[in-house]
Amino acid sequence: MAYRIGLIAVFTWLLLAKGGNSYGQNLDSSRGNITFVKQIAASELQKSKNSFKEKLKWVIFGTKRTALKKPVACYPDRNGGLWILDQDPGKILYLKPTGELEVPHFIEKKGFNFSSLVGICAFKENSFLITDSHLKGVFVLNGDKKTFQPLNESLNLERPTGIVYDPVKKIIWVTETGKHRLVALNENGIVVDSLGQRGIAPGEFNYPTHISLDKKGALYVSDAMNFRIQVFDKLKNNIAVFGRNGDGSGSMASPKGIAVDSRGNIYLVDALFHAIQLFNLKGEFLYSFGGQGSEQSQFYLPTGLTITSNDLIYISDTYNSRIQVFQYKPII
């Protein structure tokens, strides 16, 4: 069933803010529509994980089956699989193209105590960069080569959270939440630049968390405790600041995951609204979808957000123990 949501749908947003309402599989706007594709849920993956056969597979093949608990971020690989950060058990999981969810042994055997996994992004050669805010570093994962190690063992960031890689400049941007700034690393994990400090002026931050990069090299930042989004061009110029604390259309209560689709629509996860909001670069509220609940297209304290080059939208529906996948289709 489709529901048409106006560009400034005040009534719709008030329903979302109160929770208990969701919007159907097709969410239309004048710029395109968003269609529910599938969910990856704990109940669908929990299959005889404690059986002797599963334990034997762990010993022989180096993998074991598990289930989602509190997924906070994910990213698909070029092989059709999906890397998932699960914060409750502190595990990095891999969803194989066959649908099996596993804890790769080549990661487990390293013995890292992941207590606050937050961000993941694509790196080079089908590898990925991962942050853990308590471990104060960035890790490199390569599923093809089965390697996992710190990007730079001497790196000591204060609560690193969001992360993104710019393949043109070969720069890694990390939100260093504890220092209220963004830091730029080279591909060896050496800090080469930084952006921002604590404050409320444009270009300043108050506990920034998630970050995204568009195809033009612009950075999009969830400036969490300033309840706003900030946008910087490829030269680090601040080109947009918008958002406010509140419960009306376009307001923000707990901004988290952020991403941009192929048409430049800005998606923001708001955990306390249990919803996804969309804006344009002018800061105009376009529409929203979600609402508190466990049904399809509803969310419960969602966190991370990833949009692929073909506009598949992965939303980490954290406290529903699942990932929901949507498809954005622009109007030609």
Side-chain angles (χ1 to χ4, degrees), residues 72 83-93 103-119 129-141 148-150:
V72 294
W83 289 101
I84 303 170
L85 308 186
D86 198 316
Q87 203 169 77
D88 185 12
K91 300 290 185 183
I92 299 172
L93 311 175
V103 181
H105 182 56
F106 72 89
I107 297 176
E108 286 285 284
K109 71 179 183 180
K110 295 288 186 176
F112 291 107
N113 182 23
F114 298 115
S115 57
S116 187
L117 292 163
V118 181
L129 298 169
I130 292 171
T131 61
D132 185 293
S133 65
H134 287 177
L135 294 183
K136 301 184 177 182
V138 175
F139 299 85
V140 185
L141 181 160
F148 184 82
Q149 65 274 325

Side-chain angles (χ1 to χ4, degrees), residues 32-198:
N33 64 78
I34 298 173
T35 306
F36 176 84
V37 176
K38 64 179 179 179
Q39 71 171 10
I40 302 163
S43 59
E44 298 171 1
L45 297 167
Q46 185 98 22
K47 296 180 180 179
S48 63
K49 67 173 184 177
N50 294 318
S51 68
F52 175 77
K53 182 179 179 181
E54 291 300 320
K55 291 177 181 178
L56 187 61
K57 283 178 64 180
W58 167 250
V59 173
I60 296 174
F61 299 109
T63 57
K64 61 181 177 181
R65 188 172 295 174
T66 184
L68 293 182
K69 292 185 179 179
K70 289 183 181 177
V72 294
C74 65
Y75 211 103
D77 68 11
R78 65 187 181 192
N79 302 320
L82 184 69
W83 289 101
I84 303 170
L85 308 186
D86 198 316
Q87 203 169 77
D88 185 12
K91 300 290 185 183
I92 299 172
L93 311 175
Y94 184 63
L95 181 67
K96 298 171 65 176
T98 57
E100 293 178 277
L101 186 68
E102 299 178 335
V103 181
H105 182 56
F106 72 89
I107 297 176
E108 286 285 284
K109 71 179 183 180
K110 295 288 186 176
F112 291 107
N113 182 23
F114 298 115
S115 57
S116 187
L117 292 163
V118 181
I120 182 171
C121 72
F123 194 33
K124 53 186 180 180
E125 300 174 355
N126 202 32
S127 61
F128 299 86
L129 298 169
I130 292 171
T131 61
D132 185 293
S133 65
H134 287 177
L135 294 183
K136 301 184 177 182
V138 175
F139 299 85
V140 185
L141 181 160
N142 191 306
D144 293 341
K145 298 179 181 179
K146 299 191 183 306
T147 58
F148 184 82
Q149 65 274 325
L151 178 64
N152 176 3
E153 292 186 354
S154 64
L155 189 63
N156 187 27
L157 301 176
E158 192 170 333
R159 291 180 60 192
T161 51
I163 189 165
V164 70
Y165 174 63
D166 185 336
V168 176
K169 293 186 176 181
K170 298 184 179 180
I171 289 293
I172 302 160
W173 284 101
V174 182
T175 46
E176 191 175 12
T177 302
K179 288 190 176 180
H180 312 280
R181 67 176 186 170
L182 311 181
V183 293
L185 313 176
N186 63 21
E187 292 181 334
N188 296 316
I190 305 299
V191 176
V192 295
D193 201 357
S194 65
L195 178 62
Q197 61 183 3
R198 191 169 195 178

Side-chain angles (χ1 to χ4, degrees), residues 181-283:
R181 67 176 186 170
L182 311 181
V183 293
L185 313 176
N186 63 21
E187 292 181 334
N188 296 316
I190 305 299
V191 176
V192 295
D193 201 357
S194 65
L195 178 62
Q197 61 183 3
R198 191 169 195 178
I200 61 173
E204 297 179 334
F205 303 101
N206 191 14
Y207 293 103
T209 54
H210 295 74
I211 189 170
S212 186
L213 184 81
D214 71 13
K215 57 188 178 182
K216 295 181 180 179
L219 291 168
Y220 298 75
V221 185
S222 290
D223 190 4
M225 295 308 295
N226 278 329
F227 305 100
R228 65 187 183 183
I229 292 170
Q230 295 204 58
V231 186
F232 301 84
D233 66 18
K234 62 183 180 181
L235 299 177
K236 302 189 299 180
N237 298 310
N238 186 281
I239 58 174
V241 182
F242 55 89
R244 63 188 181 278
N245 185 218
D247 59 4
S249 302
S251 298
M252 301 172 191
S254 182
K256 291 189 177 291
I258 189 168
V260 184
D261 67 28
S262 62
R263 290 296 179 90
N265 299 308
I266 303 167
Y267 296 64
L268 179 72
V269 174
D270 198 300
L272 290 184
F273 288 158
H274 313 282
I276 315 303
Q277 299 195 71
L278 274 76
F279 301 86
N280 61 24
L281 190 56
K282 296 178 181 179

Side-chain angles (χ1 to χ4, degrees), residues 257-328:
I258 189 168
V260 184
D261 67 28
S262 62
R263 290 296 179 90
N265 299 308
I266 303 167
Y267 296 64
L268 179 72
V269 174
D270 198 300
L272 290 184
F273 288 158
H274 313 282
I276 315 303
Q277 299 195 71
L278 274 76
F279 301 86
N280 61 24
L281 190 56
K282 296 178 181 179
E284 297 170 334
F285 170 71
L286 300 178
Y287 61 89
S288 60
F289 64 97
Q292 184 174 354
S294 58
E295 298 298 320
Q296 176 180 302
S297 302
Q298 292 180 326
F299 306 100
Y300 184 33
L301 296 175
T303 308
L305 173 65
T306 296
I307 300 180
T308 65
S309 59
N310 60 347
D311 288 328
L312 274 176
I313 305 162
Y314 292 80
I315 299 169
S316 297
D317 190 5
T318 304
Y319 279 80
N320 275 327
S321 301
R322 67 185 180 184
I323 292 166
Q324 296 198 63
V325 185
F326 299 82
Q327 177 73 66
Y328 169 69

